[in-house]
Amino acid sequence: TQYSFKEVFGTLVAQKELFDAVAKPLVEDLIRGKNGLLFTYGVTGSGKTHTMTGSPGDGGLLPRCLAMIFNSIGPFQAKRFVFKLDDKNGVDVQSEVEALLERQRREALPVPKTPSGKRQLDPEFADMITVQDHCRVEEVDEDNVYGVFVSYIEIYNNYIYDLLEETPFESIKPKWNSCNTPVRNGDFVPPQSKILREDQNHNMYVTGCTEVEVKSTEEAFEVFWRAGQKKRRIANTQLNRESSRSHSVFIIKLAQAPLDADGDNVLQEKEQITLSQLSLVDLAGSERTNRTKAEGNRLREAGNINQSLMTLRTCIEVLRENQLYGTNKMVPYRDSKLTHLFKNYFDGEGKVRMIVCVNPKAEDYEESLQVMRFAEMTQEVEVARPVDRPLCGLTPGRRLRNQAFREELSRKLELRGGPIGAEPEEQSAAELFFQSFPPLPSCELLDINDDQTLPKLIEALEQRHKTRQMLAEEFAKNVLAFKSMLQEFDSSVASKENYIQGKLAEKEKTITGQRTEMERLEKKIKTLEYKIEILEKTATIYEEDKRNLQQELESKSQKLQRQASDKRRLEARLQGMVAETSLKWEKECERRVAAKQLEMQNKLWVKDEKLKQLKAIVTEPRAERPSREREREKPLPRSVSPSPAPSAPVAPLRPRRSRSAGERWVDHRPPSHVPTETLLQPRVPGAVTVAAPSRSALARCDRYLLTHQELASDGEIRTKLIKGDVFKTRGGGQAVQFTDVETLKQESPTGRKRRSSPPDPDPAGDAADSEWTDVETRCSVAVEMRAGSALGPGYEHHAQPK
């Protein structure tokens, strides 16, 4: 993967080389009245703080920027408090007398003084600001006076804190250390978070932020190191022993105003003051919690850091999209305090530079790729440059002319016996007073007849005496007027002091009452916090019980559902078994009833046949009866007799009439039909003979006959004639309902069972006896099948011989 940048520095690059390429142009723009923003970006532990502050013996970007600023404007700095910052991100200019009174008032106040550049530096950071190369801006406007102000803030958990704020000790508030954990005997109270506001020029600033005026590099870096860097929040993580837990912003403001036409004093016009700003931002590193093993406060800090960096990336992406596609999407600056503070830079109020710090470790490979991808994308965002400020309209070179005039005046005073090498502003009041007298003429007397020197001397002395008397009278008048003014001022001051004392007493009472109320409220807050903690624990217990009960309820409901489904399946199975069993028993009962009915019908039929035969025997002539009785009384066995004589036939069975008269039949004979040589052949007149039933054949007929052949148990062929009715269905087709079965069977005569009788040698007797064949022998086999019977076709009944 390749990424393109404007400049790439190796691991062994010197701080001076990095400063010359990145930060030096921003310092030059600052002195020319333009804003600048420089921030370091990268993963945690990649060297961002080292790049910004440096190390002993090799200062980073911040001390080098301070050194370059003071090297350039050192001779042209205004006295302290000539420039005075207001609370609305503006600057006012004061005269030297007002600045002197301000300095005296500040020195009289019992507040910590600003660090002085004349005292000995702390060896902890002295090596960081000992910059060997004295770089400076070449073209500095010498007709301006300059003042430098520094401030130091941090953005922690999306809140802005002033690191230079002096927080007093308060016994009612808990004490915290730099790692945001409580200590017992500490004197550090966490400061209140600051609010972002917008000034009249639509520039963002931190309201109530401490801004210190500094006069040297040492003083400025001491403010940064002692007052600010010691309070910055850092913590130990798995990836960095001193990991920054907040975004730090060191702001350098440079106020410059032109000199008046004489080149002596500052021009007292607020419109001519130029205020430029350089922001040096040390961003906290992005980190993954699965690598840092963060938890508790560290986890919360990491989440806020990653969220602010993600907002910064989103703002850059929206700006790039608006420029590429001409859209006007709203940039979400307000989603994070970091982007909201520097909104003006992205909108074109200054030059922006970013240093991407990359750690060459293999563990940071994926995060470094994301950092470089974002950094490469930021190069495509174009920011409008601010226009140059207008000129003040005064003649340039005023400072040099004033300096030349003072040198010439001191030279003339030296020639006249005045102080040598003394500056006019350093001369005493007596010297200025004596300079106002007329000069004395020469007092040398070279001739005794000289009558001009002494009169001139006397005249000069008289003039001096008169001038002295006039000045003494004027001085006395001025003294009296000044005394009266002092008395009036003292009286007004006393009245004001009384008024102020009364107000202060009232305020102190109010403050005392408010402190008491605060103590009460804090105690109440602690009590409520304790109650809230107990309620949270109780709620946690209840929630755990609720989850357990819900899980138990879900398990029981699932168990009930499984039981219900098993019950439904069992019921369905039992219903199927009951239906099957009931159907089976119904069929069995029907079969048994039909068998019993058939058995009873056969018994009745046998009895009927016996009765008919008995009746036939009874009705025979009496002449034949004795011979027959004699034949029966013979002891010889009876021989097999032939068929009964036609003179006395047994009444034959009356065949059932066919219902086929006037009906058309479909004679279905399968291709496997075997022709038999029986005398009785199934033949239906006018029938449609088919090998397989078809729709057209069934549509033309109303009766159906199927000829079926099978092999009987004795090896003979048995033919079944299955009859049925053809009717139309609702769908337009034909259906067959079987109604009757006829069976044709061929048997061998040797298989027939007859009653055995002894042989009779008398053929006449045989002929006579042949007429008396046993009825049971002639009716030993009967075939019967009724329509609707469930016993199946071809049911045979064999009568039992007696």
Side-chain angles (χ1 to χ4, degrees), residues 174-239:
K175 311 304 180 301
W176 302 80
N177 58 14
S178 60
C179 295
N180 203 19
T181 55
V183 295
R184 302 182 89 179
N185 299 320
D187 56 354
F188 179 78
V189 179
Q192 296 294 326
S193 61
K194 303 299 179 180
I195 303 175
L196 280 176
R197 295 190 185 275
E198 191 174 19
D199 61 7
Q200 60 181 359
N201 297 324
H202 304 289
N203 295 323
M204 304 306 300
Y205 70 98
V206 181
T207 180
C209 180
T210 304
E211 295 175 311
V212 182
E213 185 177 7
V214 291
K215 294 297 178 183
S216 64
T217 305
E218 294 80 5
E219 183 181 355
F221 196 80
E222 187 174 3
V223 170
F224 163 76
W225 189 263
R226 284 195 175 187
Q229 194 71 2
K230 295 295 184 181
K231 297 180 182 179
R232 187 182 178 190
R233 290 174 172 86
I234 59 175
N236 184 12
T237 63
Q238 294 287 339
L239 301 180

